[in-house]
Amino acid sequence: MSPISNPALLPPGALGGTVAPAGGGTGAPAGARRAGAEQAAPSFADALSQAGRSQQLQFSKHALARVQRRGIELDASTLGRLSQGVQRAASKGSRDSLVLVDGTAFVVSVSNRTVITAVGSEHMKDNVFTNIDSAVIA
């Protein structure tokens, strides 16, 4: 009968030879392993920041041209209500929505939060809005 048959019960170094370092045994210094791990998985703060940027509305070049040409004013209040309308459409599962804010119609791609076009009240007569699956009055 051997005195100790389970090597886990021996004190460190009792078997001789080298002991593999804890943490994967890659041989890289601990700081290097941590840096690699941070690159592989973004921190919670980074993910939250990225989510915040994805919640911000963007305007396509076409929409910006329409806003300028038609003299549509986009103040902070209008943009806030537009953003809230897009958020409400997203909560219902909409993909492309018509959002009405103070007589201005915005066609928005809800999934990528991009305003596709804008139409003022004076240009809405006889217009048909196609390829939308919802309408929101904000």
Side-chain angles (χ1 to χ4, degrees):
M1 178 174 191
S2 67
I4 299 178
S5 59
N6 186 346
L9 299 175
L10 293 174
L15 289 177
T18 61
V19 178
T26 62
R33 281 194 308 271
R34 256 184 266 124
E38 288 173 6
Q39 290 173 358
S43 70
F44 179 73
D46 291 340
L48 189 58
S49 173
Q50 179 65 30
R53 281 192 296 270
S54 68
Q55 296 295 321
Q56 209 169 12
L57 280 179
Q58 300 176 345
F59 283 76
S60 69
K61 288 180 184 179
H62 174 81
L64 288 174
R66 293 294 182 259
V67 166
Q68 285 182 334
R69 194 174 83 205
R70 293 174 176 160
I72 298 170
E73 292 196 29
L74 295 175
D75 59 5
S77 172
T78 301
L79 289 174
R81 291 175 52 208
L82 176 59
S83 183
Q84 289 174 353
V86 172
Q87 183 59 39
R88 288 187 2 221
S91 71
K92 299 291 185 178
S94 298
R95 292 181 308 260
D96 295 297
S97 185
L98 175 71
V99 181
L100 296 169
V101 180
D102 294 332
T104 302
F106 298 92
V107 177
V108 181
S109 172
V110 176
S111 59
N112 60 12
R113 305 189 72 75
T114 302
V115 177
I116 298 168
T117 194
V119 181
S121 58
E122 63 278 353
H123 294 99
M124 273 196 249
K125 186 176 180 179
D126 297 327
N127 266 345
V128 176
F129 294 96
T130 60
N131 297 326
I132 60 169
D133 60 10
S134 62
V136 178
I137 300 172

